[in-house]
Amino acid sequence: MYHELPRTARLWSFLRAVDQELAEETRKGGCPCGGRLHSANYPRKPRGTPIQLPEEECLRLSFCCDRDGCRKRSTPPSVRFLGPKVYLGAIVILISAMRQGPSPRRVRELSRRFGAHRRTIARWQVFWREHFPQTPFWKIKRADFVPVVEIGSLAYSLVDTFLLRHRTCRGWSLLLRFLSPITVPGALQIEVSR
Ligand SMILES: [Zn+2]
């Protein structure tokens, strides 16, 4: 099913379209102070893509309140920039999923294609195995998954679940949207139990 993923250039415009929808939802919501949100994008270099991206593709969509005395920044969720990780969200999920899945050869192909080093992939593995399950986001959302998703193969199970339920492109779109709340700055903080 993974080879049905759109090719890189198409994948990129697909992801950008999802980001624009997410940004529009944030903009419509306005600032908590009641002010209006104006565009205040900032540059961020995504990795995990072999193609030279035009400058406007490297912008993290973001907004600022237009009221004097507030000027608070609102950054919408993103399917292209996964939290503190600069790699494309989709690629992080995909490669992690495939590491846990049945096809190591495909993983090697993907790592080569997206220029991800073995060590980087190992860090993503730690993220899915140890970090992600502890997030408040997952603690709430895991109840939506029946049967219970195996923590040991979390990325793989998520991809599997979404792609089995929906056609490929729609499945990816829904999965990335599902995960997008964790891309907002601060959202990946772990609750420390005392
Ligand atoms: Zn404001």
Side-chain angles (χ1 to χ4, degrees), residues 30-37 64-67 69-74:
C31 181
C33 82
R36 283 169 43 164
L37 293 178
C64 264
C65 177
D66 70 348
R67 278 201 182 160
C70 178
R71 302 281 175 195
K72 200 172 171 294
R73 182 178 279 282
S74 298

Side-chain angles (χ1 to χ4, degrees), residues 19-20 22-24 26-28 36-44 56 58-66 71-78 80-81 183-185:
D19 264 14
Q20 278 163 348
L22 291 168
E24 187 52 24
T26 297
R27 194 191 60 74
K28 277 192 199 141
R36 283 169 43 164
L37 293 178
H38 285 193
S39 245
N41 303 329
Y42 55 90
R44 194 143 182 227
E56 69 266 20
C58 301
L59 287 179
R60 177 73 163 94
L61 300 177
S62 190
F63 301 96
C64 264
C65 177
D66 70 348
R71 302 281 175 195
K72 200 172 171 294
R73 182 178 279 282
S74 298
T75 300
S78 165
R80 293 181 298 168
F81 303 94
T183 64
V184 174

Side-chain angles (χ1 to χ4, degrees), residues 1 14 21 25 29 56 67 77 80 86-87 95 108 112-113 117 124 126 146 148 183 194:
M1 64 181 115
F14 163 72
E21 283 170 31
E25 285 165 22
E56 69 266 20
R67 278 201 182 160
R80 293 181 298 168
V86 289
Y87 276 83
I95 295 184
R108 281 198 297 275
R112 258 202 304 277
R113 185 169 153 196
H117 291 288
W124 294 344
V126 173
V146 179
V148 176
T183 64
R194 288 161 200 277

Side-chain angles (χ1 to χ4, degrees), residues 25-144:
E25 285 165 22
T26 297
R27 194 191 60 74
K28 277 192 199 141
C31 181
C33 82
R36 283 169 43 164
L37 293 178
H38 285 193
S39 245
N41 303 329
Y42 55 90
R44 194 143 182 227
K45 171 126 184 56
R47 294 198 197 138
T49 171
I51 52 172
Q52 268 308 93
L53 293 167
E55 214 168 289
E56 69 266 20
E57 295 282 25
C58 301
L59 287 179
R60 177 73 163 94
L61 300 177
S62 190
F63 301 96
C64 264
C65 177
D66 70 348
R67 278 201 182 160
D68 282 332
C70 178
R71 302 281 175 195
K72 200 172 171 294
R73 182 178 279 282
S74 298
T75 300
S78 165
V79 296
R80 293 181 298 168
F81 303 94
L82 185 63
K85 312 209 170 358
V86 289
Y87 276 83
L88 298 179
I91 305 308
V92 172
I93 296 159
L94 182 64
I95 295 184
S96 304
M98 295 187 69
R99 279 284 289 198
Q100 298 161 342
S103 176
R105 191 178 60 84
R106 278 271 177 80
V107 180
R108 281 198 297 275
E109 277 171 27
L110 271 170
S111 323
R112 258 202 304 277
R113 185 169 153 196
F114 294 107
H117 291 288
R118 189 180 288 266
R119 237 179 308 144
T120 307
I121 295 175
R123 276 203 297 274
W124 294 344
Q125 294 297 102
V126 173
F127 166 76
W128 287 106
R129 201 177 51 233
E130 289 165 23
H131 197 159
F132 182 76
Q134 302 304 321
T135 56
F137 170 79
W138 179 245
K139 285 180 176 172
I140 294 165
K141 290 292 184 179
R142 68 181 167 198
D144 299 350

Side-chain angles (χ1 to χ4, degrees), residues 125-185:
Q125 294 297 102
V126 173
F127 166 76
W128 287 106
R129 201 177 51 233
E130 289 165 23
H131 197 159
F132 182 76
Q134 302 304 321
T135 56
F137 170 79
W138 179 245
K139 285 180 176 172
I140 294 165
K141 290 292 184 179
R142 68 181 167 198
D144 299 350
F145 290 86
V146 179
V148 176
V149 166
E150 292 277 333
I151 294 296
S153 58
L154 200 49
Y156 181 73
S157 307
L158 286 175
V159 171
D160 216 31
T161 304
F162 278 84
L163 293 198
L164 277 180
R165 281 186 198 164
H166 311 277
R167 291 179 45 220
T168 310
C169 236
R170 172 124 184 93
W172 274 104
S173 172
L174 291 172
L175 171 60
L176 291 167
R177 275 172 157 277
F178 168 76
L179 289 172
S180 65
I182 67 173
T183 64
V184 174

